[in-house]
Amino acid sequence: MKFFIDTASLKEIQEAQDLGVLDGVTTNPSLMAKEGIGGDQNVKDHYKAICKIVDGDVSAEVISTDYEGMIREGEELVKLSDQIVVKIPMIRDGVKAIRYFSERGIKTNCTLVFSAGQALLAAKAGATYVSPFIGRLDDVSTDGLILIEDIRTIYDNYGYETQILAASVRHSMHILSCAKLGADVMTGPLSAILSLLNHPLTDIGLAKFLADHAKVNK
Ligand code: E4P
């Protein structure tokens, strides 16, 4: 399973990269705004800075909601680095734009996916990644993991190569469940990745090992 970090914070991306388990980054307009990144050149410079930290794919989201605008923006974004994946919302013009980019060998991430039907459409359009937002489904009392399971079944039935990028991941159980269900990638905050580390028996065991070592190494 690939681990992406879902943030525009260079500090957090560096921290995840230093841990040695990072495969890529996803951003969105809200995450960019949270870091105070606005203005065309600043946004582009920020994506370039992210690409310098991490080796893998970096999703950069278009703001346009019309086909021509998405194509224009996406073509500008991919000039920044060959790591850039054009992130496109699951709307009618978005599907057309995904088809346009996939025919030209440009990677895409179809975002804001909340149903298996949308995921099927994304795969048919040739998306590299599909991003079902499991946390936001959980927020409205709908089990996001069932969506991951459904998409996995559909993609396996027909051999679609679109990778399932479980998004809106909030905690370690989301990551584990997505791994069990066969999601190809998960994207979440650094806190969710780090929470995989925790087990009280590890802490207790390490304290005992160190105490025993100290007894005979005074
Ligand atoms: C996905 O690519 C989105 O950036 C993200 O996972 C949304 O997560 P949120 O629901 O925690 O905002």
Side-chain angles (χ1 to χ4, degrees):
M1 184 188 220
K2 286 192 269 185
F3 276 19
F4 288 179
I5 188 169
D6 194 32
T7 183
S9 158
L10 299 181
K11 185 172 164 290
E12 289 195 6
I13 294 167
Q14 185 67 61
E15 225 179 298
Q17 174 67 22
D18 291 347
L19 193 61
V21 299
L22 192 62
D23 300 297
V25 177
T26 52
T27 62
N28 64 39
S30 302
L31 293 170
M32 294 292 273
K34 193 173 163 199
E35 298 306 310
I37 311 297
D40 191 51
Q41 198 50 51
N42 287 341
V43 168
K44 286 180 177 158
D45 289 346
H46 200 74
Y47 285 136
K48 280 199 230 167
I50 292 175
C51 291
K52 271 195 191 144
I53 298 174
V54 68
D55 285 332
D57 286 349
V58 174
S59 286
E61 188 159 342
V62 297
I63 305 302
S64 303
T65 53
D66 64 297
Y67 175 73
E68 287 77 15
M70 287 188 228
I71 302 304
R72 198 170 49 246
E73 271 189 65
E75 285 184 333
E76 280 296 306
L77 288 167
V78 295
K79 283 184 199 155
L80 301 174
S81 162
D82 57 11
Q83 292 168 253
I84 293 288
V85 175
V86 185
K87 199 173 181 190
I88 299 177
M90 171 37 79
I91 54 177
R92 185 188 282 225
D93 280 22
V95 173
K96 285 165 61 182
I98 289 167
R99 165 57 60 203
Y100 173 92
F101 286 120
S102 79
E103 279 171 357
R104 286 157 182 79
I106 292 171
K107 289 186 182 178
T108 55
N109 175 353
C110 181
T111 191
L112 289 167
V113 166
F114 293 93
S115 78
Q118 292 178 322
L120 178 56
L121 212 44
K124 286 209 54 87
T128 313
Y129 298 104
V130 66
S131 286
F133 278 32
I134 62 171
R136 292 194 195 185
L137 280 170
D138 288 355
D139 289 345
V140 293
S141 311
T142 303
D143 191 346
L145 294 173
I146 292 177
L147 178 56
I148 300 293
E149 195 175 9
D150 286 348
I151 300 172
R152 182 75 283 156
T153 302
I154 292 167
Y155 283 10
D156 288 350
N157 281 350
Y158 297 98
Y160 288 122
E161 287 177 7
T162 299
Q163 295 179 54
I164 302 174
L165 197 176
S168 187
V169 157
R170 304 270 165 81
H171 48 70
S172 58
M173 281 312 291
H174 269 158
I175 300 177
L176 284 184
S177 302
C178 286
K180 285 200 258 184
L181 293 169
D184 301 285
V185 192
M186 80 83 203
T187 192
L190 182 61
S191 58
I193 297 172
L194 292 179
S195 67
L196 291 171
L197 277 169
N198 303 333
H199 200 292
L201 290 179
T202 303
D203 301 336
I204 293 166
L206 182 59
K208 175 88 170 91
F209 285 156
L210 294 179
D212 289 343
H213 174 82
K215 279 183 206 159
V216 289
N217 287 280
K218 292 200 172 128

mmCIF file with all atom_site columns, all heavy atoms in Angstrom, residues 113-124:
data_model
loop_
_atom_site.group_PDB
_atom_site.id
_atom_site.type_symbol
_atom_site.label_atom_id
_atom_site.label_alt_id
_atom_site.label_comp_id
_atom_site.label_asym_id
_atom_site.label_entity_id
_atom_site.label_seq_id
_atom_site.pdbx_PDB_ins_code
_atom_site.Cartn_x
_atom_site.Cartn_y
_atom_site.Cartn_z
_atom_site.occupancy
_atom_site.B_iso_or_equiv
_atom_site.pdbx_formal_charge
_atom_site.auth_seq_id
_atom_site.auth_comp_id
_atom_site.auth_asym_id
_atom_site.auth_atom_id
_atom_site.pdbx_PDB_model_num
ATOM 1  N N   . VAL A 1 113 ? -14.986 11.966 -4.825  1.00 0.00 ? 113 VAL A N   1
ATOM 2  C CA  . VAL A 1 113 ? -15.757 10.786 -5.219  1.00 0.00 ? 113 VAL A CA  1
ATOM 3  C C   . VAL A 1 113 ? -16.457 10.204 -3.987  1.00 0.00 ? 113 VAL A C   1
ATOM 4  O O   . VAL A 1 113 ? -15.820 9.942  -2.955  1.00 0.00 ? 113 VAL A O   1
ATOM 5  C CB  . VAL A 1 113 ? -14.826 9.748  -5.894  1.00 0.00 ? 113 VAL A CB  1
ATOM 6  C CG1 . VAL A 1 113 ? -15.487 8.392  -6.003  1.00 0.00 ? 113 VAL A CG1 1
ATOM 7  C CG2 . VAL A 1 113 ? -14.425 10.267 -7.277  1.00 0.00 ? 113 VAL A CG2 1
ATOM 8  N N   . PHE A 1 114 ? -17.770 10.060 -4.106  1.00 0.00 ? 114 PHE A N   1
ATOM 9  C CA  . PHE A 1 114 ? -18.568 9.599  -2.968  1.00 0.00 ? 114 PHE A CA  1
ATOM 10 C C   . PHE A 1 114 ? -19.467 8.418  -3.309  1.00 0.00 ? 114 PHE A C   1
ATOM 11 O O   . PHE A 1 114 ? -20.267 7.992  -2.482  1.00 0.00 ? 114 PHE A O   1
ATOM 12 C CB  . PHE A 1 114 ? -19.423 10.762 -2.431  1.00 0.00 ? 114 PHE A CB  1
ATOM 13 C CG  . PHE A 1 114 ? -18.593 11.854 -1.821  1.00 0.00 ? 114 PHE A CG  1
ATOM 14 C CD1 . PHE A 1 114 ? -18.191 12.943 -2.572  1.00 0.00 ? 114 PHE A CD1 1
ATOM 15 C CD2 . PHE A 1 114 ? -18.170 11.772 -0.495  1.00 0.00 ? 114 PHE A CD2 1
ATOM 16 C CE1 . PHE A 1 114 ? -17.397 13.943 -2.019  1.00 0.00 ? 114 PHE A CE1 1
ATOM 17 C CE2 . PHE A 1 114 ? -17.386 12.773 0.069   1.00 0.00 ? 114 PHE A CE2 1
ATOM 18 C CZ  . PHE A 1 114 ? -16.997 13.855 -0.695  1.00 0.00 ? 114 PHE A CZ  1
ATOM 19 N N   . SER A 1 115 ? -19.352 7.890  -4.537  1.00 0.00 ? 115 SER A N   1
ATOM 20 C CA  . SER A 1 115 ? -20.181 6.735  -4.896  1.00 0.00 ? 115 SER A CA  1
ATOM 21 C C   . SER A 1 115 ? -19.407 5.816  -5.838  1.00 0.00 ? 115 SER A C   1
ATOM 22 O O   . SER A 1 115 ? -18.469 6.254  -6.527  1.00 0.00 ? 115 SER A O   1
ATOM 23 C CB  . SER A 1 115 ? -21.487 7.177  -5.576  1.00 0.00 ? 115 SER A CB  1
ATOM 24 O OG  . SER A 1 115 ? -21.233 7.530  -6.931  1.00 0.00 ? 115 SER A OG  1
ATOM 25 N N   . ALA A 1 116 ? -19.835 4.549  -5.872  1.00 0.00 ? 116 ALA A N   1
ATOM 26 C CA  . ALA A 1 116 ? -19.190 3.567  -6.750  1.00 0.00 ? 116 ALA A CA  1
ATOM 27 C C   . ALA A 1 116 ? -19.432 3.921  -8.216  1.00 0.00 ? 116 ALA A C   1
ATOM 28 O O   . ALA A 1 116 ? -18.576 3.688  -9.072  1.00 0.00 ? 116 ALA A O   1
ATOM 29 C CB  . ALA A 1 116 ? -19.712 2.171  -6.429  1.00 0.00 ? 116 ALA A CB  1
ATOM 30 N N   . GLY A 1 117 ? -20.586 4.502  -8.511  1.00 0.00 ? 117 GLY A N   1
ATOM 31 C CA  . GLY A 1 117 ? -20.884 4.914  -9.883  1.00 0.00 ? 117 GLY A CA  1
ATOM 32 C C   . GLY A 1 117 ? -19.896 5.977  -10.357 1.00 0.00 ? 117 GLY A C   1
ATOM 33 O O   . GLY A 1 117 ? -19.410 5.928  -11.499 1.00 0.00 ? 117 GLY A O   1
ATOM 34 N N   . GLN A 1 118 ? -19.595 6.919  -9.491  1.00 0.00 ? 118 GLN A N   1
ATOM 35 C CA  . GLN A 1 118 ? -18.616 7.951  -9.853  1.00 0.00 ? 118 GLN A CA  1
ATOM 36 C C   . GLN A 1 118 ? -17.243 7.326  -10.090 1.00 0.00 ? 118 GLN A C   1
ATOM 37 O O   . GLN A 1 118 ? -16.519 7.697  -11.019 1.00 0.00 ? 118 GLN A O   1
ATOM 38 C CB  . GLN A 1 118 ? -18.522 8.998  -8.734  1.00 0.00 ? 118 GLN A CB  1
ATOM 39 C CG  . GLN A 1 118 ? -19.764 9.853  -8.573  1.00 0.00 ? 118 GLN A CG  1
ATOM 40 C CD  . GLN A 1 118 ? -19.628 10.829 -7.411  1.00 0.00 ? 118 GLN A CD  1
ATOM 41 O OE1 . GLN A 1 118 ? -19.063 10.508 -6.362  1.00 0.00 ? 118 GLN A OE1 1
ATOM 42 N NE2 . GLN A 1 118 ? -20.150 12.036 -7.588  1.00 0.00 ? 118 GLN A NE2 1
ATOM 43 N N   . ALA A 1 119 ? -16.906 6.343  -9.242  1.00 0.00 ? 119 ALA A N   1
ATOM 44 C CA  . ALA A 1 119 ? -15.596 5.680  -9.379  1.00 0.00 ? 119 ALA A CA  1
ATOM 45 C C   . ALA A 1 119 ? -15.515 4.894  -10.687 1.00 0.00 ? 119 ALA A C   1
ATOM 46 O O   . ALA A 1 119 ? -14.459 4.838  -11.327 1.00 0.00 ? 119 ALA A O   1
ATOM 47 C CB  . ALA A 1 119 ? -15.347 4.765  -8.184  1.00 0.00 ? 119 ALA A CB  1
ATOM 48 N N   . LEU A 1 120 ? -16.620 4.295  -11.091 1.00 0.00 ? 120 LEU A N   1
ATOM 49 C CA  . LEU A 1 120 ? -16.664 3.551  -12.352 1.00 0.00 ? 120 LEU A CA  1
ATOM 50 C C   . LEU A 1 120 ? -16.428 4.497  -13.532 1.00 0.00 ? 120 LEU A C   1
ATOM 51 O O   . LEU A 1 120 ? -15.648 4.220  -14.446 1.00 0.00 ? 120 LEU A O   1
ATOM 52 C CB  . LEU A 1 120 ? -18.016 2.835  -12.478 1.00 0.00 ? 120 LEU A CB  1
ATOM 53 C CG  . LEU A 1 120 ? -18.290 2.027  -13.751 1.00 0.00 ? 120 LEU A CG  1
ATOM 54 C CD1 . LEU A 1 120 ? -17.227 0.975  -13.998 1.00 0.00 ? 120 LEU A CD1 1
ATOM 55 C CD2 . LEU A 1 120 ? -19.667 1.373  -13.673 1.00 0.00 ? 120 LEU A CD2 1
ATOM 56 N N   . LEU A 1 121 ? -17.075 5.654  -13.455 1.00 0.00 ? 121 LEU A N   1
ATOM 57 C CA  . LEU A 1 121 ? -16.913 6.667  -14.505 1.00 0.00 ? 121 LEU A CA  1
ATOM 58 C C   . LEU A 1 121 ? -15.464 7.156  -14.578 1.00 0.00 ? 121 LEU A C   1
ATOM 59 O O   . LEU A 1 121 ? -14.905 7.326  -15.678 1.00 0.00 ? 121 LEU A O   1
ATOM 60 C CB  . LEU A 1 121 ? -17.859 7.835  -14.176 1.00 0.00 ? 121 LEU A CB  1
ATOM 61 C CG  . LEU A 1 121 ? -18.485 8.641  -15.290 1.00 0.00 ? 121 LEU A CG  1
ATOM 62 C CD1 . LEU A 1 121 ? -19.017 7.776  -16.406 1.00 0.00 ? 121 LEU A CD1 1
ATOM 63 C CD2 . LEU A 1 121 ? -19.588 9.521  -14.695 1.00 0.00 ? 121 LEU A CD2 1
ATOM 64 N N   . ALA A 1 122 ? -14.863 7.371  -13.423 1.00 0.00 ? 122 ALA A N   1
ATOM 65 C CA  . ALA A 1 122 ? -13.464 7.847  -13.380 1.00 0.00 ? 122 ALA A CA  1
ATOM 66 C C   . ALA A 1 122 ? -12.543 6.830  -14.055 1.00 0.00 ? 122 ALA A C   1
ATOM 67 O O   . ALA A 1 122 ? -11.644 7.188  -14.818 1.00 0.00 ? 122 ALA A O   1
ATOM 68 C CB  . ALA A 1 122 ? -13.034 8.083  -11.933 1.00 0.00 ? 122 ALA A CB  1
ATOM 69 N N   . ALA A 1 123 ? -12.780 5.538  -13.771 1.00 0.00 ? 123 ALA A N   1
ATOM 70 C CA  . ALA A 1 123 ? -11.944 4.485  -14.359 1.00 0.00 ? 123 ALA A CA  1
ATOM 71 C C   . ALA A 1 123 ? -12.150 4.424  -15.871 1.00 0.00 ? 123 ALA A C   1
ATOM 72 O O   . ALA A 1 123 ? -11.196 4.301  -16.637 1.00 0.00 ? 123 ALA A O   1
ATOM 73 C CB  . ALA A 1 123 ? -12.270 3.140  -13.716 1.00 0.00 ? 123 ALA A CB  1
ATOM 74 N N   . LYS A 1 124 ? -13.393 4.547  -16.301 1.00 0.00 ? 124 LYS A N   1
ATOM 75 C CA  . LYS A 1 124 ? -13.677 4.500  -17.737 1.00 0.00 ? 124 LYS A CA  1
ATOM 76 C C   . LYS A 1 124 ? -13.030 5.674  -18.471 1.00 0.00 ? 124 LYS A C   1
ATOM 77 O O   . LYS A 1 124 ? -12.628 5.549  -19.623 1.00 0.00 ? 124 LYS A O   1
ATOM 78 C CB  . LYS A 1 124 ? -15.187 4.500  -18.002 1.00 0.00 ? 124 LYS A CB  1
ATOM 79 C CG  . LYS A 1 124 ? -15.806 3.159  -17.662 1.00 0.00 ? 124 LYS A CG  1
ATOM 80 C CD  . LYS A 1 124 ? -17.031 2.813  -18.472 1.00 0.00 ? 124 LYS A CD  1
ATOM 81 C CE  . LYS A 1 124 ? -16.914 2.867  -19.945 1.00 0.00 ? 124 LYS A CE  1
ATOM 82 N NZ  . LYS A 1 124 ? -16.418 1.631  -20.567 1.00 0.00 ? 124 LYS A NZ  1
#
